[in-house]
Amino acid sequence: MTEMTKSGITRRSVLAGAAAGAALLAMPSILRAADRSLKVGVYGGYFQESFDEHIFPDFTSATGIEVESISEPTGEAWLVQLSQAARAGQAPADVSMMSQVAILKGQAIDLWAPLDPAKIPNLGNLLPQFVNRYPDGRIAGVGAVAWYITLVTNTDVYPEAPDSWAALWDPANRDRLGLLALVSNSFLLEVTAKTFFGGPAKLDTEEGILEVMDKLAEVKPNVRLWYRDEAQFEQALKSGEIPMGQYYHDVTGLAAADGNPVRSTFPKEGGILDSGSWAVSAASKKTAEAHEFINYMSQPQIQAKLSRNVGTAPTVARSLTDLTDQEFAAVSSEIEPIIPRYDLYQTKSDWLNQKWTELIVAG
């Protein structure tokens, strides 16, 4: 799990409503489901509480499969645990929510049980980018939840919203920006490639990546903070101390709804769309139940329910959901998104981190 995903847990905490229902174990549906069960790994804290309260009980009622909710550790530690357990024939969780880089790393060691599309009729509801495949076409994962990073501004300092990521390069914004600190969680290479080089194909070669980094390095005079602590940037954005940057769309919207002078803008090049996917351990003995779970989660009404209760963007087309304009705008956009090049963070991780440090954040 990436650091950004870990941060997402904290992010989602501001969306928290009531605590997880303490009476879940007393529900008759769960008692009836004792003969069929499934261990599902989700990010801990608020995220897990939300699934425990809003999702798992209804899944059990609908299918008769009892869910044991497993709290995943942060970073890629869960991937390591799953792989070590799989070698011993064990599955700490049958289904896990995994970051995109973790999905790719798991594919490299055949950690994920291939999914049978015939057993997931709702697979066709998902947008294409939310189906993870092995190089040979087998399905390794299915989109679980998604979220956006957008261009954010303080409305007192910027009465008019910028409409392009190019605003980050505007000399008028010198010493005014807050940007995520890591190459692997800011996705600024993809933003730069889309804004100035026609799209992500520019990142196909190391020569192209270095050209993109050279262009991105031009924003350095404008950057006041390369942030790892989201709360630090959020507070500076609210106060106007750092009035522009990149941040999470849903949280910015909540801050605006609370009366803070902030806005989130989907630039014409698109917001950055990151996501987590469901994957099934190859060591799991519950593949039938796992397919039922993934099929259930791929229903438009369940994705809409997640948007309302967890604050995530749907992995299905908006037209399939019953989300109102306001509900959809709170978590997503119909502007074509910028999709991170997760493959790069798997295959070129060390090189990218080295160049990122040398060319972007140093000096």
Side-chain angles (χ1 to χ4, degrees):
M1 191 162 47
T2 66
E3 183 170 333
M4 192 175 87
T5 305
K6 172 186 176 183
S7 300
I9 302 165
T10 303
R11 228 166 12 98
R12 304 296 170 202
S13 65
V14 304
L15 300 171
L24 296 181
L25 292 177
M27 294 183 66
S29 59
I30 292 181
L31 296 177
R32 288 196 304 269
D35 55 336
R36 298 183 75 203
S37 63
L38 189 70
K39 292 183 290 186
V40 180
V42 294
Y43 309 144
Y46 165 73
F47 223 83
Q48 184 181 20
E49 291 174 0
S50 296
F51 272 78
D52 286 348
E53 180 177 6
H54 300 292
I55 303 299
F56 293 151
D58 287 351
F59 168 73
T60 298
S61 295
T63 65
I65 299 172
E66 182 180 358
V67 172
E68 179 184 349
S69 174
I70 305 294
S71 177
E72 298 180 8
T74 56
E76 293 190 7
W78 189 236
L79 179 71
V80 173
Q81 290 185 34
L82 287 175
S83 61
Q84 290 176 340
R87 285 197 290 272
Q90 303 296 318
D94 301 294
V95 183
S96 296
M97 185 184 293
M98 305 300 295
S99 72
Q100 300 308 306
V101 173
I103 285 282
L104 289 172
K105 289 184 175 180
Q107 287 182 26
I109 55 174
D110 276 327
L111 179 59
W112 312 126
L115 300 175
D116 183 350
K119 297 178 180 177
I120 311 175
N122 289 315
L123 190 67
N125 296 324
L126 270 71
L127 298 169
Q129 63 263 33
F130 294 120
V131 179
N132 310 90
R133 294 182 183 276
Y134 279 102
D136 61 6
R138 294 174 300 161
I139 298 174
V142 171
V145 294
W147 56 87
Y148 278 94
I149 301 171
T150 58
L151 182 58
V152 297
T153 45
N154 181 291
T155 56
D156 289 340
V157 179
Y158 294 94
E160 299 295 327
D163 66 354
S164 169
W165 285 108
L168 300 180
W169 280 260
D170 189 334
N173 294 322
R174 187 178 182 86
D175 199 33
R176 286 186 160 191
L177 305 183
L179 301 176
L180 284 155
L182 303 178
V183 64
S184 58
N185 74 357
S186 68
F187 305 118
L188 286 169
L189 293 182
E190 292 87 336
V191 167
T192 308
K194 183 72 175 292
T195 305
F196 296 102
F197 296 95
K202 186 65 178 177
L203 303 173
D204 284 349
T205 65
E206 291 189 357
E207 292 76 13
I209 293 171
L210 290 175
E211 282 188 62
V212 170
M213 282 196 179
D214 285 343
K215 182 62 182 178
L216 180 58
E218 295 175 9
V219 306
K220 292 166 65 174
N222 291 355
V223 179
R224 185 162 182 179
L225 175 69
W226 292 99
Y227 69 89
R228 293 171 182 263
D229 181 347
E230 292 177 25
Q232 181 185 10
F233 173 64
E234 183 177 326
Q235 186 55 46
L237 178 69
K238 290 176 179 175
S239 69
E241 179 186 0
I242 303 177
M244 179 180 283
Q246 60 172 166
Y247 200 52
Y248 298 98
H249 171 68
D250 49 9
V251 177
T252 306
L254 288 172
D258 286 342
N260 294 287
V262 299
R263 72 164 72 85
S264 168
T265 302
F266 281 87
K268 61 184 180 183
E269 300 88 0
I272 303 165
L273 180 59
D274 197 11
S275 61
S277 288
W278 299 118
V280 181
S281 169
S284 171
K285 310 300 183 188
K286 302 280 188 175
T287 55
E289 290 85 353
H291 278 83
E292 283 193 59
F293 175 77
I294 292 171
N295 188 55
Y296 178 87
M297 295 302 299
S298 300
Q299 297 176 92
Q301 63 267 35
I302 301 303
Q303 285 296 311
K305 188 176 183 180
L306 285 168
S307 295
R308 294 186 178 104
N309 294 288
V310 186
T312 52
T315 57
V316 303
R318 185 262 174 94
S319 60
L320 299 177
T321 73
D322 63 349
L323 292 171
T324 66
D325 290 347
Q326 184 177 7
E327 288 171 334
F328 183 75
V331 297
S332 190
S333 166
E334 295 191 275
I335 298 175
E336 182 182 359
I338 294 174
I339 306 295
R341 284 288 304 270
Y342 301 111
D343 58 314
L344 298 178
Y345 307 113
Q346 179 203 16
T347 61
K348 296 181 181 295
S349 177
D350 291 343
W351 182 81
L352 279 173
N353 285 323
Q354 177 188 342
K355 293 300 181 184
W356 181 262
T357 300
E358 292 174 359
L359 301 175
I360 305 301
V361 298

